[in-house]
């Protein structure tokens, strides 16, 4: 009996509908306005308030209403599955056989440097803030600043564990530095952290930074990682204000047009509370153009009864062979859909090929640079709809 229980594995979803529970307990128009638990208001956001007081004359281009102006898009099963696993705390996660060294916590306690660069967290927080070239072109620090329970592309960075997460959340010094790192990255993106509730507004340098963010798509992957890490380390409430801010800038103000799909396909779905996701998606649907192309609303009755509708790609995950499943259970680390597919594209040999990119710090840095700087327009566009 013990062997049977030990070998049981959670059955992963195989369609987008199975991955997305956002509208599972809700039907359009039936849910009364709920008290906002995200620290933001649906009527006016901090960014709107700031512009009303000091930037009333600012005008930005708006999205066009014509159907021809919008590219045809569909939802990504790979993104939906990746975020489903994250929101459900990685149901098939296998505990590492290696001793838990708490390397992420020790890094944030300034006791060990990040690898391979050999830099301590205090140096990053004091010397890197405002150094936008360094934050843009260094590709190894983000996995250390925002750790996850999944493998990233810096194989020197260590995955979080449940025990380490608990210890991190009870360590004031580590939490203080983590919020400082989050504030530093927001500044890099042209955003200012306002308060302990996670509310954000445009930073004074927002025009320059937004222009860069529109042209630097690999930062969209970083933002997904940052949002995930916020939830892991006790700052789930910080997510909704930031996601709402990006939705407003991309959909209403036209300042981050290239981020629009990433905000809807990835950022919203890092939020664990379905009611919070529904509020954000309702807000987005009000401002999305053209309206008929909005893919993230509640399923129609026809779709709910079993057929595939416009909001789904209809993709079903390919069933692994028994041998593939056995090997995957024994050897394959958890890897996010972002990193896994980028790794496949770079190495040409799937996830296992990534480990062969080289063990030197220079090799890792070169691999990460190639992955992040590439145009991301290939057979994997579905998973990277930028």
């Amino acid at each position: 009996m013990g062997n049977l229980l030990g070998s049981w594995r959670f059955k992963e979803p195989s369609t987008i509908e199975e991955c997305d529970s956002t509208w599972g307990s809700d039907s359009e128009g039936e849910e009364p306005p709920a008290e906002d638990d995200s620290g933001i208001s649906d009527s006016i956001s901090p960014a709107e308030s700031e512009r009303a007081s000091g930037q009333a004359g600012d005008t930005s281009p708006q999205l066009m209403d014509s159907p021809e102006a919008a590219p045809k898009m569909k939802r990504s099963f790979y993104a939906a599955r990746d975020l489903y696993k994250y929101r459900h705390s990685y149901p098939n996660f296998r505990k590492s056989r290696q001793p838990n060294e708490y390397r992420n916590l020790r890094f944030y306690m300034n006791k060990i440097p990040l690898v391979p660069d050999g830099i301590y967290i205090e140096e990053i927080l004091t010397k890197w803030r405002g150094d936008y070239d360094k934050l843009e072109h260094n590709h190894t620090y983000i996995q250390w600043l925002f750790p996850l329970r999944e493998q990233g592309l810096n194989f020197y960075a260590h995955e979080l564990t449940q025990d380490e997460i608990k210890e991190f959340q009870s360590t004031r010094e580590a939490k203080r530095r983590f919020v400082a790192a989050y504030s530093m990255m927001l500044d890099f993106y042209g955003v200012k952290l306002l308060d302990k509730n996670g509310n954000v507004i445009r930073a004074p340098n927002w025009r320059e930074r937004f222009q860069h963010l529109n042209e630097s798509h690999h930062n969209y992957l970083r933002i997904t990682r940052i949002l995930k890490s916020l939830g892991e380390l006790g700052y789930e409430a910080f997510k909704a204000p930031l996601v709402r801010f990006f939705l407003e800038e991309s959909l209403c103000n036209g300042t981050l047009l290239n981020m629009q799909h990433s905000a809807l396909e990835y950022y919203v779905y890092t939020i664990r509370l379905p009611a919070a996701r529904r509020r954000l998606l309702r807000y987005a649907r009000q401002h999305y153009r053209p309206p008929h192309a909005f893919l993230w609303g509640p399923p129609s009755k026809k779709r709910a009864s079993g057929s595939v509708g416009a909001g789904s790609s209809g993709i079903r995950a390919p069933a692994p062979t028994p041998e593939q499943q056995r090997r995957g259970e024994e050897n394959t680390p958890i890897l996010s859909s972002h990193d896994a597919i980028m790794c496949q594209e770079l190495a040409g040999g799937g996830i296992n090929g990534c480990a062969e990119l080289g063990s030197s710090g220079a090799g890792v840095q070169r691999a990460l640079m190639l992955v992040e700087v590439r145009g991301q327009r290939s057979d994997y566009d579905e998973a990277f709809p930028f």
Side-chain angles (χ1 to χ4, degrees):
M1 185 68 176
N3 289 337
L4 287 174
L5 291 175
S7 62
W8 180 86
R9 284 176 61 82
F10 181 84
K11 184 179 182 299
E12 292 187 356
S14 57
T15 66
I16 289 176
E17 287 77 10
E18 292 174 1
C19 293
D20 185 2
S21 62
T22 303
W23 304 99
S25 60
D26 176 78
S27 58
E28 187 172 11
E30 293 179 2
E31 183 181 85
E35 182 179 354
D36 196 337
D37 61 357
S38 63
I40 58 175
S41 166
D42 279 345
S43 58
I44 183 167
S45 70
E48 290 170 332
S49 176
E50 182 196 34
R51 281 193 296 280
S53 61
Q55 300 180 15
D58 180 42
T59 58
S60 302
Q62 300 297 310
L63 296 177
M64 298 178 65
D65 288 339
S66 65
E68 294 79 7
K72 292 182 179 179
M73 294 181 293
K74 59 182 179 179
R75 293 195 61 183
S76 164
F77 168 74
Y78 301 100
R81 183 178 61 180
D82 173 70
L83 294 163
Y84 171 91
K85 291 179 182 178
Y86 165 75
R87 293 195 307 272
H88 290 80
S89 299
Y90 306 98
N92 285 331
F93 178 77
R94 284 179 172 263
K95 211 169 186 179
S96 173
R97 298 178 183 177
Q98 301 299 322
N100 193 342
E101 299 177 349
Y102 288 16
R103 291 180 65 86
N104 297 292
L105 177 59
R106 289 163 61 203
F107 168 69
Y108 262 103
M109 294 297 290
N110 210 45
K111 292 182 178 179
I112 62 172
L114 69 82
V115 182
D117 300 72
I119 304 170
Y120 286 83
I121 181 64
E122 272 302 310
E123 180 179 350
I124 293 174
L125 295 178
T126 56
K127 296 183 179 180
W128 287 29
R129 187 181 181 98
D131 190 342
Y132 300 141
D133 284 341
K134 183 167 289 184
L135 292 172
E136 172 66 20
H137 297 296
N138 185 295
H139 302 275
T140 58
Y141 70 90
I142 198 73
Q143 293 86 3
W144 285 87
L145 288 189
F146 300 99
L148 299 174
R149 281 183 285 168
E150 58 190 49
Q151 180 65 58
L153 285 175
N154 181 350
F155 292 93
Y156 291 105
H158 283 233
E159 300 170 31
L160 279 172
T161 66
Q162 287 279 21
D163 292 339
E164 187 176 24
I165 289 171
K166 292 177 183 177
E167 192 70 24
F168 196 108
Q169 292 181 1
S170 63
T171 306
R172 180 174 297 183
E173 184 179 357
K175 291 171 65 177
R176 176 185 62 80
R177 289 193 175 112
F178 180 75
V179 173
Y182 177 57
S183 176
M184 178 185 73
M185 292 306 297
L186 289 183
D187 174 74
F188 174 56
Y189 298 134
V191 184
K192 180 180 179 180
L193 180 63
L194 271 184
D195 53 42
K196 62 181 181 181
N197 295 319
N199 290 308
V200 294
I201 59 173
R202 289 174 173 177
N205 62 345
W206 70 271
R207 292 182 187 275
E208 169 200 342
R209 301 316 304 161
F210 281 16
Q211 181 179 353
H212 173 80
L213 193 53
N214 259 321
E215 300 168 354
S216 181
H217 297 166
H218 76 96
N219 277 296
Y220 302 168
L221 309 182
R222 289 176 169 181
I223 292 170
T224 301
R225 184 181 188 93
I226 290 169
L227 288 164
K228 286 181 174 181
S229 190
L230 286 171
E232 295 284 49
L233 296 177
Y235 293 92
E236 179 73 22
F238 277 31
K239 294 180 187 176
L242 183 63
V243 176
R244 166 66 184 259
F245 176 85
F246 284 139
L247 288 173
E248 182 184 341
E249 293 294 350
S250 61
L251 294 173
C252 303
N253 303 327
T255 52
L256 291 172
L257 288 173
N258 291 335
M259 184 187 282
Q260 182 183 121
H261 196 273
S262 293
L264 287 163
E265 187 77 345
Y266 290 93
Y267 304 167
V268 169
Y269 291 95
T270 66
I271 296 173
R272 291 190 168 110
L273 192 64
R277 296 200 299 273
R278 289 196 293 268
R279 282 194 291 274
L280 289 167
L281 290 174
R282 286 195 177 102
Y283 172 80
R285 186 170 54 177
Q286 292 175 3
H287 303 283
Y288 193 87
R289 299 294 180 270
H292 65 80
F294 189 79
L295 304 176
W296 302 271
S300 64
K301 292 181 180 179
K302 184 177 181 181
R303 285 173 55 196
S305 65
S307 61
V308 177
S312 167
S313 65
I315 294 176
R316 180 173 291 274
T321 65
E323 179 65 15
Q324 288 173 329
Q325 189 170 12
R326 183 186 68 78
R327 289 180 179 176
E329 292 175 3
E330 293 178 355
N331 303 319
T332 304
I334 294 178
L335 197 69
S336 72
S337 66
H338 290 343
D339 291 346
I341 296 172
M342 291 172 75
C343 203
Q344 287 175 336
E345 190 178 17
L346 177 65
I351 294 172
N352 293 332
C354 285
E356 300 171 4
L357 292 176
S359 58
S360 68
V364 172
Q365 178 78 8
R366 183 167 59 253
L368 290 168
M369 179 179 67
L370 287 171
V371 166
E372 289 194 324
V373 172
R374 291 187 61 174
Q376 300 178 8
R377 302 297 183 191
S378 69
D379 295 338
Y380 304 105
D381 276 352
E382 182 179 339
F384 295 99
F386 303 136

